[in-house]
Amino acid sequence: MSDTPQALPRHLAVIMDGNGRWAKARGLSRSEGHRAGTETAKRLVTRCRELGIAHLTLYTFSKENWKRPQDEVRTLFDLLVRFLGNELASLVEQDIRFNVLGELEDFPFAVRQALSHVLKKTAHCRSMTLNLALNYSGRAEILRACRRLVEQGVKPADITEERFSAELFTAGQPDPDLVVRTSGELRISNYLLWQSAYAEYYFTDVYWPDFDADELDKALAAYAGRQRRFGLTGEQALQAGD
Ligand code: IPE
Ligand code: IPE
Ligand code: MG
């Protein structure tokens, strides 16, 4: 495709923000905003698969989001269950493996069941991994990894970055290269704190439901134009990239 940027992120992580404000601006309910946001997420998954982005992570429900009104939380779970039911065949067809970043135990039974079903049915898929960050908190994930290492009796000297990463929900996946946040908010909101240590960030004012293929292209073009130095000088990084 001629308009495809040269350097694609292997792992794109998105903070899908602004559903509520999108709805308010249109005189709609917050639920309508979340519904529209779900459609945007579906289209993004397919577009990323077409482009060849191997890992896509969507911030879908944070641990902090439990504090929202109960009605809204219920709407979000309903949308999630419906998404899983409607999209399973399409995920399998597109060879997309579904994965969850977060503890499933805290979810209502119906949600857990729907998640487990899609996890199982897409476990063999290899072309792309779709991670939904659900009941997710970066800090909680880091503490969980610490506890798991202690439980396994790992000696302090054996705790390396690789060993630690293997205890995170993203074990086995590359770190995000690009983190996109919509809706004009300039914060991380407890998202992939360990994994995004060297990610590139892209912020846009566009509300999540309006984040279409053109907006994705803009984000990818911005990413392709960045020089990732990883501590090197600009000249060194240029040579390393040759
Ligand atoms: C993102 O949109 C969806 C979730 C956090 C679940 P918001 O619901 O946060 O939308 P705003 O920030 O209120 O506009
Ligand atoms: C972050 O969005 C969480 C998700 C996108 C699921 P929020 O809208 O909840 O973030 P804050 O609380 O405004 O930082
Ligand atoms: Mg928000």
Side-chain angles (χ1 to χ4, degrees), residues 15-23 30 34 59-62 65 68 72 76 181-183 185 187 207-209:
I15 304 177
M16 311 186 287
D17 200 7
N19 292 349
R21 281 162 285 163
W22 180 90
R30 292 184 60 86
H34 293 314
Y59 207 175
T60 306
F61 190 81
S62 71
N65 289 147
R68 292 193 178 196
E72 178 162 346
L76 289 167
R181 183 170 194 149
T182 57
S183 88
E185 303 300 340
R187 55 178 176 267
Y207 293 142
W208 176 248

Side-chain angles (χ1 to χ4, degrees), residues 107-138:
F107 286 107
F109 179 70
V111 178
R112 265 183 358 239
Q113 206 177 27
L115 289 168
S116 303
H117 185 63
V118 178
L119 286 169
K120 207 162 61 196
K121 293 287 181 189
T122 64
H124 64 284
C125 297
R126 288 290 172 269
S127 294
M128 178 171 131
T129 301
L130 169 65
N131 299 301
L132 295 192
L134 283 169
N135 185 28
Y136 181 82
S137 144

